[in-house]
Amino acid sequence: CGSVAFDSDGRIVTVCVGLDRPVLAILDPVTLETIAAMPLPPRRADGGNPFTDFSGGGYFYLDHKDRAVLPTTEGHLYTVAVRGDSLELVSDIDLTPEIGNGKVISVLPDWKNRIWFATKDGVVGWTDRRGTIVSRDVGEVISNSFAVGQGAGVFIVTDAAMYRFEAGAGGSGEPEIVWRKAYPNTGTKKPGQTSEG
C-alpha cells in the first residue's frame, strides 16, 4: 500500500496494489481490520512488477471532503467518496485522450483547482472538474509521485532530470517547463529503487 491517508474520523484510507488489481480500502486505525473496500480496474497485461509499479492508484490523495482522488490502470481519474463505512464513485474523468495508453503514476491537486497527473512514460498534465485536460510529453520515465508548491509550480523528477512545471497560457494552457535540471544517472536500478532514476 504505497500511500496512506487518514479521513476526518481518523480511519486509514489506502490503495493496495495487489497482484491482480489495486484495491481502495478504509481500515480501522487500531485493529487494521478492513471497514470497506472497493476493487479498482485490474492490472494491465504490461503491468510490470506489481511490487515496484505503483501506477493505477498507488499514489493518491484525500481531498477536503474526505474523497479519495486516484488514477486507475485504465487511464481514468476517479473521485471516490468515503460515506460512513462505505465507498462510492462520484466522478470519473477519462484521461486517455491526452495520455493514450500511458500509465498514470500519480495525481495531486494544486492551489488553483487543477489536478495534476504524471504518467510512467513521461506525460505531465492537469485537469479540472469541468473536464479540461491538457498535457505535454517530456519523453523521460517518471516512476514516483511529485510535489506541488503553494505559490505555484509542480515539481517532478524523471529518470533524467528534475523539473518545475506551471500551467501555461495564463493558467489555462499546457504545462510549461519553468526550469529543468539534469542529474547524473548511471542507468542502473539499485536495490530498493523502483527505477533507474
Side-chain angles (χ1 to χ4, degrees):
C1 307
S3 294
V4 175
F6 294 87
D7 70 9
S8 56
D9 293 328
R11 299 175 304 178
I12 298 169
V13 181
T14 188
V15 176
C16 298
V17 289
L19 294 174
D20 60 340
R21 70 179 60 237
V23 175
L24 174 65
I26 305 172
L27 307 177
D28 183 283
V30 176
T31 66
L32 300 182
E33 293 293 322
T34 301
I35 296 169
M38 175 184 281
L40 299 169
R43 287 188 166 276
R44 296 178 0 191
D46 63 348
N49 184 338
F51 301 108
T52 59
D53 182 359
F54 295 107
S55 63
Y59 295 120
F60 77 100
Y61 70 94
L62 285 185
D63 70 8
H64 63 292
K65 296 180 179 179
D66 276 348
R67 298 179 303 188
V69 181
L70 60 127
T72 73
T73 57
E74 297 173 336
H76 288 232
L77 177 66
Y78 280 6
T79 301
V80 179
V82 178
R83 301 198 199 248
D85 289 346
S86 64
L87 298 162
E88 179 185 338
L89 179 65
V90 294
S91 173
D92 178 354
I93 299 172
D94 184 359
L95 301 175
T96 60
E98 287 292 317
I99 67 168
N101 201 29
K103 294 164 61 174
V104 181
I105 186 74
S106 184
V107 297
L108 283 175
D110 69 9
W111 272 259
K112 302 288 185 184
N113 296 317
R114 290 180 288 252
I115 301 171
W116 287 78
F117 59 87
T119 70
K120 287 189 67 89
D121 57 356
V123 175
V124 175
W126 61 268
T127 183
D128 57 27
R129 302 241 181 232
R130 296 183 307 271
T132 302
I133 307 171
V134 294
S135 68
R136 74 175 299 152
D137 188 350
V138 297
E140 298 167 6
V141 174
I142 301 171
S143 298
N144 285 294
S145 190
F146 51 91
V148 180
Q150 184 172 355
V154 174
F155 302 87
I156 294 179
V157 63
T158 71
D159 280 2
M162 295 174 60
Y163 288 85
R164 176 179 169 176
F165 293 94
E166 289 183 4
S172 62
E174 82 172 26
E176 288 183 351
I177 298 172
V178 177
W179 54 256
R180 177 186 187 273
K181 177 66 175 167
Y183 64 87
N185 183 343
T186 64
T188 302
K189 183 162 53 169
K190 299 168 188 72
Q193 289 185 312
T194 60
S195 71
E196 290 78 15

